[in-house]
Amino acid sequence: MDKSNLLFYDAYENFYLMVGKSKAFKAFCKDAFGEDLSQDGFSDIDQVNMILPFIAGPSSRVLDVGCGNGKMLKYLKEKSGCCICGFDYSVNAIENAKRDAGADSDFRVGIIGEVTYPEEYFDLITSMDTVYFAQDMTSFVGQMMRWLKNGGVLFVAYQEGDVMPKTQNEHTTVLAEAFRSNGIEYEVTDITKQTYELLLKKRNAAISHRDEFAEEGNDEWFDMLMLQTECVTRGYDQYASEMSRYIYTVHKA
């Protein structure tokens, strides 16, 4: 795997080194998202809790695509007892994920489109702001559906306006087109307004911990949080014209 050509690879490696040590970032996550899951995006605890009803219990096997350091999976396991599996292209993230993972957990370094799992292996597959790194969205959606057991669920949080281009609505996204190309029916919820409100909270939380970031020598990460949330300084109507966010769910028959 040639990591030098992967989008944002060095930034993510440095990010997971930082989150493993920074008390300021842990406190920021708690204030911004309601739980410290080392978030580098938009998934607060309310969004993560939306996943729980799809987990039947300890017999369920859950895969997180782009799992980062595994904190979200470990939270889901704590709440449901499920067996957790995840992959991410960041070596630092996976090393952290493995550090306190149970014997029934499976964390591996891998790239979307290259990692393989057995067919009909998972009861639930989650992807929180990661599927758009697939080189071929249609192919990867088909692959994930093959990994799912009959009766399993695919849960995807999907953002437009940054990595992916902004399209007309939730049915014209690249992901929605990939579902249709695979003959897959899906349900979708527009959470753009909730995301705007979360970004406002994220920006205020970062500002409240500015001094702690500075004391740690992590000013660059504070600056990054300011950059990530600058979009909400222009008001909701402007934000919604440029960005959108959806939750897609698929139930495999």
Side-chain angles (χ1 to χ4, degrees), residues 54-237:
F54 301 117
I55 303 176
S59 63
S60 294
R61 184 180 287 118
V62 178
L63 172 69
D64 187 22
V65 174
C67 64
N69 62 5
K71 278 192 174 182
M72 187 188 81
L73 279 173
K74 292 167 188 175
Y75 173 84
L76 296 176
K77 181 176 182 178
E78 176 186 328
K79 295 297 182 181
S80 69
C82 65
C83 175
I84 55 176
C85 306
F87 72 90
D88 198 283
Y89 72 175
S90 167
V91 172
N92 288 333
I94 294 301
E95 286 180 352
N96 289 336
K98 288 180 174 180
R99 192 161 295 137
D100 58 352
D104 59 343
S105 303
D106 176 8
F107 289 102
R108 58 180 75 172
V109 176
I111 300 173
I112 289 175
E114 296 183 8
V115 172
T116 60
Y117 293 96
E119 293 190 6
E120 299 185 11
Y121 190 66
F122 296 105
D123 299 280
L124 171 67
I125 298 176
T126 65
S127 174
M128 310 301 278
D129 302 296
T130 52
V131 293
Y132 33 65
F133 293 113
Q135 293 295 309
D136 185 332
M137 185 77 76
T138 298
S139 176
F140 185 58
V141 164
Q143 186 178 39
M144 287 191 292
M145 295 306 294
R146 290 191 295 275
W147 293 342
L148 269 180
K149 296 177 182 178
N150 291 334
V153 174
L154 174 65
F155 182 100
V156 180
Y158 185 88
Q159 175 92 359
E160 283 194 327
D162 39 24
V163 177
M164 302 303 289
K166 179 79 164 67
T167 62
Q168 185 176 0
N169 57 51
E170 62 268 38
H171 301 296
T172 58
T173 66
V174 175
L175 180 58
E177 294 287 356
F179 286 142
R180 284 193 289 275
S181 295
N182 280 281
I184 297 168
E185 295 184 0
Y186 61 87
E187 299 171 6
V188 59
T189 302
D190 187 334
I191 57 168
T192 303
K193 184 61 183 295
Q194 295 95 313
T195 301
Y196 174 80
E197 292 169 353
L198 173 60
L199 285 169
L200 284 173
K201 189 175 181 182
K202 182 175 176 178
R203 187 173 184 86
N204 290 332
I207 291 170
S208 72
H209 293 287
R210 184 203 309 251
D211 292 344
E212 293 103 298
F213 279 108
E215 289 169 6
E216 294 177 344
N218 283 324
D219 305 80
E220 64 179 304
W221 295 108
F222 171 81
D223 292 341
M224 181 64 68
L225 293 170
M226 290 294 96
L227 183 63
Q228 288 176 350
T229 58
E230 185 179 3
C231 55
V232 298
T233 63
R234 299 188 291 274
Y236 177 70
D237 289 342

